Amino acid sequence: MLRDKYATEIDALLARFPQRKSAVLHLMHLAQSEYGYLSEEAMREVADIVGVDATHVLSLAGFYSLFYEEPVGRYVLEVCNDLACALRGADEFVDMASRKLDIPVEGTTNDGLFTLKTVMCLGGCDRAPMLQCNLKFYENLDESKFEALIAELRAKAAADPEPSVVERIIGYVAQVS
Amino acid sequence: MAHVLLRHRDIEDLHKLDVYRRNGGYDGLKKALGMTRAEVIDVVKASNLRGRGGAGFPTGLKWSFIPKNAPETYVLINTDESETGTFKDRELIERNPHQVIEGALIAAYAVNSRLVFNYIRGEYMDAAWAFEEALRECREAGIVGRGIMGSDVDIEFYTHFGAGAYICGEETALIESLAGNLGQPWSKPPFPAVEGLYRKPTVVNNTETLANVPGILVNGPDWFKSTGTEDSPGNKIVCISGHVTTPGNYEVPLGTTYRELLAMAGGMKDGKAFKAILPSGGSGPIITEDALDAACSYDGLTPFRSVMGSASVIVMDETTDMVWAALKMIHFFRHESCGKCTPCREGTFWMEKVLHRIYDGHGTEADIKLLESVANNMTGKCLCALGEFATSPVLSSIRHFLPEYKAKVSTAAQQAARESVPVAMVGR
Ligand SMILES: Cc1cc2nc3c(=O)[nH]c(=O)nc-3n(C[C@H](O)[C@H](O)[C@H](O)COP(=O)(O)O)c2cc1C
Ligand code: SF4
Ligand code: FES
């Protein structure tokens, strides 16, 4: 349970805001990085902590594109193929990534490691093609850099059973005591 | 030219507090704390600094709308930055975070606010570490928190994350999102300065706007007005992307021409010929060759029926299919429409559908008219500016590049002939 595991951090987070409901997105980020996606249970947990209706958290999950309501791969590769990147080869890059991983866009590899998605502008247009993977940017990519990234992530997954970006997220929450 | 905003390009390690302070950092805040709140607002007013988030509203005037004796007020930094082709605020929070923090603290002092939030888009979580680290240094040094810089002023300051929604850059949607609600805009009035976060008076300023403030306090309004144009004083970060040799952020005096901007970015990539620019990311009308000598300023593109916006200059060369480009943009707006009002929700849906049909070669001439009529029907009927933004790449690409649309559609006669075949066969 988030409440028990991150009690101090969650208390510090809630104390930041004049109204605790404001902490909801932060807690959803935390829940998603802890569980890999926002299951109904995870959303109910968040709702309980914040003190809102679970349906409210559900509607937020549908509204914001960074939240996944279905299980996804351990690494979610989100390639920007919005206009500025597409002018510099992003659509071709997506096709290449899809071929290399042997999955369509929105698909997940059989080993559960990678999900491929396309997204709108990420603010890295001057370094296209680029992608975001678990809230980290990889920029100025090409086919060989993409292969190297995939290899690196596979190796990381093999070496380290602990997934996710929870360390970073909890880092933000914990900054202020 | 020495940078005023992208100063980290001239000064190594400027993101560190000691380096920032050695280079005049927090002198602006110190000076502000020695003035009355009204005096600070007057200085910013006199500089005629205008908002860098797109709308260009005078910053000092905005601050002056905050009721003087309000017991609780807030300052929100808008680092939602999700417009296609925009990546300037990211560089600021990553590389020159203290200048943003200092500007926001001056704003908070001016409007008597004890709490500042930086609303950063969730996708920038990695980049935002630098900002968070700078905040940590400030807390340690007594620049943020209780009794800042030895004064009796308390200002707390937090980073807040969005979760992927362009609309949350719109100030009222941002406020809703920060309050934990769906990030949907409300119809103004009430303006945030009267009723904002938690229904308290709230200042929302763009990241880059605030980064201008420390210099204005230290050097005075006349210094600020010595660059740029009369209506658009100061420098601006321009994000140049697309078919140029060296895309990136360029800090220039407002009033620099689009032709000069192209040259700064190394000219057209691979020596191709220039075709068009989206000067305000996806949200402003396309401009073509004839506008290249226009000024990049708040009103420089008015004669060309376009706008500078946040100065996200997406450059396209002769190989670009303009129907494809318009389709990319309308796809963005359809995806990002928050769905609150029908004309925007339905209009973006239909525009994407019809554009798709045209792009795929299944459209007719009537579809071009249909696109225009859907767009015109949205104009003036949407709750926030997104609805208006969505129509501009479509209408302006038709205006400038009608032959490209025509080449993709079949005429009514061709369409009729095509459709008549199966009918005839059935008849037999
Ligand atoms: C759809 C939409 C998206 C916007 N996105 C941003 C944004 O990402 N960043 C920003 O500073 N302003 C954005 N704005 C403008 C804000 O509503 C607001 O005008 C601005 O933050 C005010 O700050 P300024 O006066 O310092 O420019 C957006 C407006 C609209 C209609
Ligand atoms: S115009 Fe579009 S984005 Fe703006 S409030 Fe209406 S539906 Fe939402
Ligand atoms: S268009 Fe891809 S990062 Fe901006």
Side-chain angles (χ1 to χ4, degrees), chain B residues 100-138:
Chain B
V100 177
I101 295 173
E102 184 177 1
L105 289 171
I106 294 169
Y109 172 71
V111 302
N112 200 7
S113 172
R114 282 189 302 266
L115 192 48
V116 180
F117 287 105
N118 189 2
Y119 188 105
I120 304 183
R121 66 180 297 190
E123 293 87 342
Y124 282 179
M125 205 170 275
D126 207 37
W129 267 115
F131 190 82
E132 193 67 15
E133 174 58 21
L135 268 184
R136 193 194 57 74
E137 286 183 302
C138 285

Side-chain angles (χ1 to χ4, degrees), chain A residues 106-128:
Chain A
E106 294 295 324
T108 299
T109 53
N110 287 332
D111 58 8
L113 273 189
F114 300 105
T115 298
L116 180 65
K117 288 177 181 278
T118 57
V119 294
M120 302 295 136
C121 183
L122 290 170
C125 339
D126 54 336
R127 304 169 200 174

Side-chain angles (χ1 to χ4, degrees), chain B residues 80-256:
Chain B
D80 192 54
E81 188 158 80
S82 309
E83 178 76 48
T84 304
T86 315
F87 40 87
K88 64 189 180 62
D89 298 337
R90 174 184 169 197
E91 181 168 348
L92 286 173
I93 60 161
E94 218 173 345
R95 310 286 309 281
N96 193 8
H98 283 292
Q99 198 163 320
V100 177
I101 295 173
E102 184 177 1
L105 289 171
I106 294 169
Y109 172 71
V111 302
N112 200 7
S113 172
R114 282 189 302 266
L115 192 48
V116 180
F117 287 105
N118 189 2
Y119 188 105
I120 304 183
R121 66 180 297 190
E123 293 87 342
Y124 282 179
M125 205 170 275
D126 207 37
W129 267 115
F131 190 82
E132 193 67 15
E133 174 58 21
L135 268 184
R136 193 194 57 74
E137 286 183 302
C138 285
R139 282 196 194 98
E140 243 174 57
I143 295 170
V144 162
R146 288 188 175 276
I148 63 170
M149 300 193 91
S151 69
D152 56 1
V153 177
D154 304 336
I155 303 175
E156 203 36 90
F157 203 131
Y158 298 114
T159 303
H160 191 79
F161 286 104
Y166 165 64
I167 191 60
C168 290
E170 194 284 331
E171 56 188 5
T172 62
L174 183 140
I175 288 169
E176 288 295 328
S177 176
L178 185 46
N181 302 324
L182 279 187
Q184 292 182 318
W186 72 68
S187 164
K188 294 179 270 196
F191 289 92
V194 180
E195 252 180 59
L197 183 64
Y198 312 128
R199 312 194 68 167
K200 301 289 192 296
T202 301
V203 164
V204 182
N205 269 135
N206 173 256
T207 319
E208 182 189 355
T209 307
L210 292 170
N212 278 289
V213 171
I216 293 171
L217 263 290
V218 173
N219 304 309
D222 289 335
W223 163 84
F224 183 74
K225 289 194 284 194
S226 68
T227 60
T229 69
E230 186 160 346
D231 285 335
S232 308
N235 282 0
K236 176 88 190 75
I237 306 174
V238 181
C239 315
I240 309 184
S241 66
H243 291 143
V244 291
T245 308
T246 48
N249 285 320
Y250 293 85
E251 179 179 333
V252 297
L254 280 162
T256 303

